[in-house]
Structures are given as C-alpha cells and as structure tokens.
Amino acid sequence: MAKLILSLEGSVIREIPLDKERIMIGRKASNDIQIENLAVSGEHACIVTILKDSFLEDLGSTNGTLVNGNPVRKHILQNNDVIEIGKYKLKYLEPAAAQKAGPKSVEDFEKTMVLHGPASARSRALGVPGGPMGPGDTQNNRPAAGARPGPFGAAATAQAKPGEAAPMAAIQILTGGSAGRELDLVKNLTTLGKPGVQVAVITRRPQGYFIAHVEGANFPIVNGRKLDAQATRLSDHDVIELAGVKMEFFIKK
C-alpha cells in the first residue's frame, strides 16, 4: 500500500497510508490530513487512489500545490514525488511490489482516454467516423445506427467468480460525433471525458469494472443517477453520461 510521509523543515511528523479512495488535505479539521497553517486552504488538495495509481489534485487553493518544486493542478503521483503545501512536505512512497510501467505525466495519462482511441473494427463496419468528442457533442445528439440498445442497468451476465479475472468488457459511444465508436477495456485503468471539464476512470478489478470520478465539478451519471465520490460497480448495458456524452458499458460475450 502506498503512503505519504508528512514532514516540516526536515522533521518527520507522521506517516499516512493511502487506505481510502479519496484523501482530503487542508486546514479544516474535517480533512483526512489536517495541516494547521494559514498558508494552507481549508480544503487544499485531495489524493484519489484507484488500484495502485494515485492522483493528486489541487482544489483551487489560494497558495497552490507544488510537486517536486513545480506548481500543479493535477498530477499522477510517482514513487518519491514530494508534494509541497505551504511549508509542509508530503513524500509519496509506494512499495517495490507496486512499481509499474505506467503513465509518467498527465499528458501520457490523458492519451489513454477512450475518445482519443482508434475506432474499432465493429465501428468501421458500421461506417461510423472516428475522432475525439468535439464542443458540439451533447446528450441530445442522435445515436448512430447500430448502437447497442440493451436494457439500461440490467444485471451483468458474466461477472467474475472469486479468483478469476473480470470478463472482457467495452464502451460504446452513443451520442455525438463519435457515436458508434467502441473501445475494449483491456487496461486496468481507462480514462473517459474531457480534461478541464469532467474526467472519470474505469478500473478493471477481479470483482468487475468500477467507475470513479477524477476531475470536474459535476460527477458522472449512470442510468440517470449521479454518482458520489466512491467508486461504483458497473453492470452490463449501464449507460454512462460524462462531459455531455452518453456511452454504454457492456460485457463482451
């Protein structure tokens, strides 16, 4: 399990294990990591951990957040990164077993977004054009012919048994200029949405697929219900609304 080492002027104050999906940092007592310093905002930053990946986000703080001396708004944490909040430092450490060859920057992370991926063979067969979501993509755009209708929210028919990997699944865009495009969820972590507007992540776990909010004032909607800060398990044919676009999650048979 990854952890943070909180220190002030070289003196270690305490260790904080990242044992929750969302860790809040700030001056208020309600934060998971409270730093009582006037240079620290009430709710200064947060760290979201999904599987073995941790993401730091500055929550619009007055004095900003630094990582390795550089100001950041959003950052994928790497082993030995040093977060600076006011005069305090938080060193991010992950055990050797958790080291992985993952994305090394926010730009690399965002290149895995479903809307920037290649069109699948199935989409090409439907004659649906590719391309990322554009500004005109909205929930009211017409779904492409051939989009999988499916019962919204129907129970998954191929959930993983204990000890087995989750079944293969995919996402199909239902609205907008990319309607009909499809992406297999082959990675343990796939991002969806528009940076700076709304971003969510789907993780593949042995128990199934889970969606969680990463960035943006609005949370994703699944089958008409707005999600909260906790990861939510997806079922076959769930319809996700994110950054003004509808997409369907489905288990591949």
Side-chain angles (χ1 to χ4, degrees):
M1 179 187 298
K3 62 182 178 180
L4 298 172
I5 307 296
L6 176 64
S7 64
L8 175 64
E9 296 178 350
S11 298
V12 174
I13 299 174
R14 66 182 175 117
E15 295 186 5
I16 304 104
L18 298 181
D19 54 1
K20 296 172 57 178
E21 286 189 349
R22 191 175 184 89
I23 299 286
M24 296 292 296
I25 306 169
R27 195 173 68 252
K28 292 181 180 179
S30 58
N31 289 284
D32 300 289
I33 302 175
Q34 184 186 15
I35 301 178
E36 298 186 59
N37 186 281
L38 291 178
V40 180
S41 297
E43 292 182 346
H44 195 104
C46 71
I47 295 176
V48 176
T49 299
I50 301 172
L51 297 178
K52 296 181 177 68
D53 296 285
S54 294
F55 313 89
L56 169 70
E57 181 179 0
D58 181 89
L59 300 176
S61 64
T62 301
N63 295 309
T65 302
L66 304 180
V67 175
N68 304 328
N70 300 310
V72 300
R73 185 178 64 83
K74 177 176 64 171
H75 178 79
I76 300 174
L77 291 168
Q78 304 294 322
N79 193 43
N80 290 318
D81 275 353
V82 176
I83 304 165
E84 296 179 54
I85 297 179
K87 294 183 178 180
Y88 290 79
K89 293 185 178 181
L90 290 152
K91 187 171 185 178
Y92 175 77
L93 297 174
E94 52 183 343
Q99 297 301 312
K100 68 278 183 187
K104 301 302 181 183
S105 67
V106 171
E107 288 74 21
D108 290 340
F109 175 66
E110 289 169 351
K111 285 177 184 176
T112 66
M113 292 175 61
V114 59
L115 300 172
H116 290 171
S120 69
R122 182 175 183 272
S123 297
R124 289 192 295 271
L126 292 171
V128 178
M133 281 195 296
D137 292 339
T138 66
Q139 295 179 14
N140 296 322
N141 286 344
R142 179 179 57 85
R148 299 169 59 92
F152 292 174
T157 58
Q159 298 294 346
K161 297 179 181 179
E164 294 182 357
M168 284 302 303
I171 287 288
Q172 185 180 63
I173 309 302
L174 299 179
T175 63
S178 299
R181 293 185 62 197
E182 190 177 300
L183 180 77
D184 291 340
L185 300 175
V186 295
K187 297 183 178 181
N188 286 334
L189 185 150
T190 302
T191 56
L192 306 162
K194 295 180 181 178
V197 178
Q198 191 179 23
V199 177
V201 63
I202 293 179
T203 56
R204 185 185 185 196
R205 308 179 186 177
Q207 299 88 353
Y209 292 82
F210 292 77
I211 185 170
H213 176 73
V214 173
E215 178 190 1
N218 297 317
F219 283 67
I221 295 173
V222 176
N223 302 328
R225 182 178 67 85
K226 183 178 290 187
L227 304 184
D228 54 25
Q230 301 300 314
T232 298
R233 184 172 179 172
L234 291 168
S235 295
D236 197 19
H237 300 301
D238 275 353
V239 172
I240 303 163
E241 296 180 49
L242 183 71
V245 172
K246 288 185 179 182
M247 57 196 79
E248 181 187 1
F249 168 86
F250 62 94
I251 301 297
K252 302 197 77 173
K253 306 300 189 289

